[in-house]
Amino acid sequence: MSVASKPKKNARYDLKAADRKRNLFVQIGLTSIVVLFAAALILYILMSADEKPTAGETKSVRVASNSVITKEGTDEPKAVISLYEDALCPACAAFEQGFGPTLTNITDSGAAAIDYHMVGILNRPQNDNYSSRAGGAAYCVADQSVEAFQRFHAALYAQQPSETGTSYPDNAQLIELARQAGASENVPECISKGTYVDMVAGMAGAAGITGTPTLRINGEDYQYSTPEALVAKIEEIVGDVPGLQAAPPAQAPTPAS
């Protein structure tokens, strides 16, 4: 005699429970992604805040008109003057006085762009590495505004301390000079941290510069002589430019006390 087996109950699939479990997994996954993304973003911000250009890097500040003459079929200027200067260099101050107004005419006319490079070849313990600090401050200002950089750059030479002096502007004074030039936002922090100091200190070596001021036109060394000769050289490259002419030297600045 066989024993009758009990009928098996059909398995039931709880759709609501499965949906709740699936939603829970999705929420956990999305939360994990958000947490990981936030952690990565915070890490990136922290690393970027402390990142400084190294002594082997170079950086220029380009000054150019919106109507600069360009190479055919490109946005690149047909003529680029690369200028390497040290903020403490007396010859650089003399160059700015003699050639500065003509350089302004060159850029305003659209004949050429000018790439400014601030280098630190006159750093000394006795001047507290003023060349690199002042040059680095100029890059901090340029990060905010090219126009403010132009004013700050001019002020550095107008108020240039003596190369053989005993007193040099500290960072607080450079920050005030930047403020007067119209810089704002993160410039004081950038100057205080010395963001570009190492880069400026090593830029002469990285660019192969042995003295300042050094001029290069389209990458080739140019031995400057007179503003008229510089204008003629640019016109050899781009042709005649209406209104472009050499300008008289600027008025000599009052020596810094």
Side-chain angles (χ1 to χ4, degrees), residues 79-168:
V80 177
I81 300 171
S82 297
L83 177 58
Y84 297 81
E85 295 180 310
D86 186 308
L88 191 55
C89 162
C92 296
F95 175 84
E96 285 297 332
Q97 181 187 349
F99 284 77
T102 295
L103 291 175
T104 298
N105 284 353
I106 288 173
T107 53
D108 287 351
S109 68
I114 300 178
D115 285 351
Y116 287 89
H117 303 75
M118 303 303 295
V119 304
I121 63 173
L122 295 176
N123 284 327
R124 303 288 186 273
Q126 56 267 35
N127 64 35
D128 193 22
N129 296 328
Y130 174 76
S131 292
S132 290
R133 290 190 298 105
Y139 282 110
C140 290
V141 174
D143 283 345
Q144 296 296 317
S145 165
V146 172
E147 291 76 16
F149 164 82
Q150 291 176 275
R151 293 188 290 270
F152 183 79
H153 174 267
L156 285 179
Y157 289 112
Q159 303 178 32
Q160 185 185 64
S162 170
E163 182 184 356
T164 58
T166 58
S167 178
Y168 299 88

Side-chain angles (χ1 to χ4, degrees), residues 63-252:
V63 176
S65 165
N66 290 332
S67 59
V68 65
I69 298 171
T70 58
K71 298 176 183 177
E72 187 175 355
T74 75
D75 294 329
E76 271 298 300
K78 195 170 184 179
V80 177
I81 300 171
S82 297
L83 177 58
Y84 297 81
E85 295 180 310
D86 186 308
L88 191 55
C89 162
C92 296
F95 175 84
E96 285 297 332
Q97 181 187 349
F99 284 77
T102 295
L103 291 175
T104 298
N105 284 353
I106 288 173
T107 53
D108 287 351
S109 68
I114 300 178
D115 285 351
Y116 287 89
H117 303 75
M118 303 303 295
V119 304
I121 63 173
L122 295 176
N123 284 327
R124 303 288 186 273
Q126 56 267 35
N127 64 35
D128 193 22
N129 296 328
Y130 174 76
S131 292
S132 290
R133 290 190 298 105
Y139 282 110
C140 290
V141 174
D143 283 345
Q144 296 296 317
S145 165
V146 172
E147 291 76 16
F149 164 82
Q150 291 176 275
R151 293 188 290 270
F152 183 79
H153 174 267
L156 285 179
Y157 289 112
Q159 303 178 32
Q160 185 185 64
S162 170
E163 182 184 356
T164 58
T166 58
S167 178
Y168 299 88
D170 59 18
N171 286 347
Q173 290 170 295
L174 290 172
I175 289 171
E176 174 59 20
L177 194 64
R179 185 194 66 78
Q180 294 174 9
S184 58
E185 299 182 23
N186 299 326
V187 170
E189 181 183 3
C190 179
I191 294 175
S192 296
K193 289 171 58 178
T195 299
Y196 290 106
V197 168
D198 290 343
M199 183 193 76
V200 172
M203 196 184 303
I209 299 302
T210 58
T212 53
T214 289
L215 268 71
R216 290 173 176 167
I217 298 180
N218 289 348
E220 296 185 1
D221 288 341
Y222 173 75
Q223 184 59 54
Y224 65 91
S225 55
T226 65
E228 289 78 11
L230 177 59
V231 167
K233 177 64 176 179
I234 295 302
E235 289 185 328
E236 283 181 15
I237 299 171
V238 301
D240 292 336
V241 179
L244 175 59
Q245 60 182 356
Q251 184 177 356

